[in-house]
């Protein structure tokens, strides 16, 4: 595990495998607004961290927020992961670069001139042939301003991550589960996806990623 002392907490922290940074969708916050905060992971080659459902092994990254009174953060908004298979084991994970997002409400009670400080305690499992649990503490302070014109554009990593978040299927998908086998305790899940015939040549790959 890897941690920093509170006195040295900044928006960046690194382990040998992962460089983490806390980023925001704005450069300054407006009282009563909603913003995105994101934990960006830059992961060295051949290593990966995990999606909300890690698959057959692994652990999902967790973010524990410490925010000003009255502020709230959503659960993690997960970009679509990659798929890693080794023998019978399949994992859903991220390599190279990912930003895990949370939507954060800024208290209306804040006043321009004050500071909005968010702290994130982040834990992840990073794996290649071996797996290493790691923990970092990140903090980001943003000035409070009165108008959107002063809020600024924030980090481009936020929009890049939003573009990777899954969207609702454009096709009708029906799921049906067979009866559970009394001996194995397992059933089969059948997915029927209704795709217009003219769109079938456009499909490169279809894969079912169970969120749970």
């Amino acid at each position: 595990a890897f941690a920093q002392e509170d006195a040295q907490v900044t928006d960046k922290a690194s382990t040998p495998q992962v460089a983490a940074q806390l980023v925001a969708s704005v450069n300054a916050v407006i009282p009563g607004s909603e913003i995105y905060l994101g934990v960006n992971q830059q992961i060295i080659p051949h290593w990966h961290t995990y999606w909300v459902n890690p698959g057959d092994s692994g652990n999902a990254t967790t973010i524990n927020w410490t925010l000003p009174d009255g502020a709230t953060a959503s659960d993690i908004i997960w970009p679509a992961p990659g798929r890693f298979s080794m023998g019978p084991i399949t994992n859903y994970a991220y390599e190279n670069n990912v930003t895990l997002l949370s939507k954060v409400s800024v208290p209306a009670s804040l006043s321009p001139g004050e500071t909005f400080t968010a702290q994130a305690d982040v834990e992840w499992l990073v794996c290649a042939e071996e797996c290493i649990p790691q923990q970092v503490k990140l903090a980001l302070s943003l000035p409070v301003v009165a108008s959107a014109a002063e809020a600024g554009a924030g980090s481009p990593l936020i929009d890049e991550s939003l573009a990777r978040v899954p969207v609702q299927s454009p096709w009708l998908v029906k799921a049906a589960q067979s009866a559970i086998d009394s001996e194995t305790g397992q059933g089969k899940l059948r997915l029927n996806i209704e795709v217009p015939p003219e769109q079938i040549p456009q499909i490169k790959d279809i894969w079912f990623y169970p969120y749970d």
Side-chain angles (χ1 to χ4, degrees):
F2 181 94
Q4 289 188 322
E5 295 299 323
D6 284 3
Q8 300 173 324
V9 173
T10 70
D11 62 330
K12 297 183 179 71
S14 292
T15 72
Q17 294 80 21
V18 182
Q21 183 178 10
L22 183 55
V23 295
S25 59
V26 292
N27 299 329
V29 301
I30 304 167
S33 64
E34 284 191 330
I35 65 171
Y36 287 104
L37 294 178
V39 175
N40 175 255
Q41 296 176 333
Q42 298 278 350
I43 307 161
I44 65 172
H46 312 301
W47 291 74
H48 55 265
T49 61
Y50 290 97
W51 188 47
V52 58
N53 172 9
D56 292 320
S57 63
N59 288 311
T61 297
T62 62
I63 304 173
N64 184 25
W65 294 101
T66 301
L67 300 168
D69 289 344
T72 59
S74 72
D75 291 338
I76 293 173
I77 301 167
W78 299 88
R83 189 175 74 246
F84 301 87
S85 295
M86 185 179 298
I89 303 297
T90 294
N91 294 119
Y92 308 116
Y94 303 107
E95 59 183 358
N96 300 320
N97 175 40
V98 67
T99 302
L100 305 179
L101 301 175
S102 293
K103 185 176 283 188
V104 174
S105 65
V106 178
S109 57
L110 290 178
S111 299
E114 295 182 331
T115 300
F116 179 91
T117 298
Q119 183 170 295
D121 291 289
V122 191
E123 295 187 32
W124 62 71
L125 189 68
V126 62
C127 299
E129 296 294 326
E130 59 183 306
C131 290
I132 306 172
Q134 297 177 337
Q135 179 178 3
V136 299
K137 193 184 295 284
L138 304 167
L140 183 65
S141 293
L142 300 169
V144 180
V145 295
S147 69
E150 301 169 89
S155 171
L157 292 170
I158 300 291
D159 283 340
E160 289 174 16
S161 184
L162 286 170
R164 292 174 61 182
V165 172
V167 297
Q168 186 170 345
S169 170
W171 310 310
L172 181 64
V173 180
K174 297 177 182 177
Q177 185 171 347
S178 66
I180 302 297
D181 186 290
S182 58
E183 293 185 5
T184 66
Q186 295 182 333
K188 290 184 178 180
L189 181 68
R190 180 179 178 86
L191 294 177
N192 186 65
I193 305 170
E194 297 185 7
V195 181
E198 66 273 14
Q199 292 187 355
I200 290 175
Q202 302 172 34
I203 298 171
K204 291 168 61 179
D205 186 29
I206 291 182
W207 192 273
F208 176 57
Y209 286 65
Y211 195 81
D212 295 316

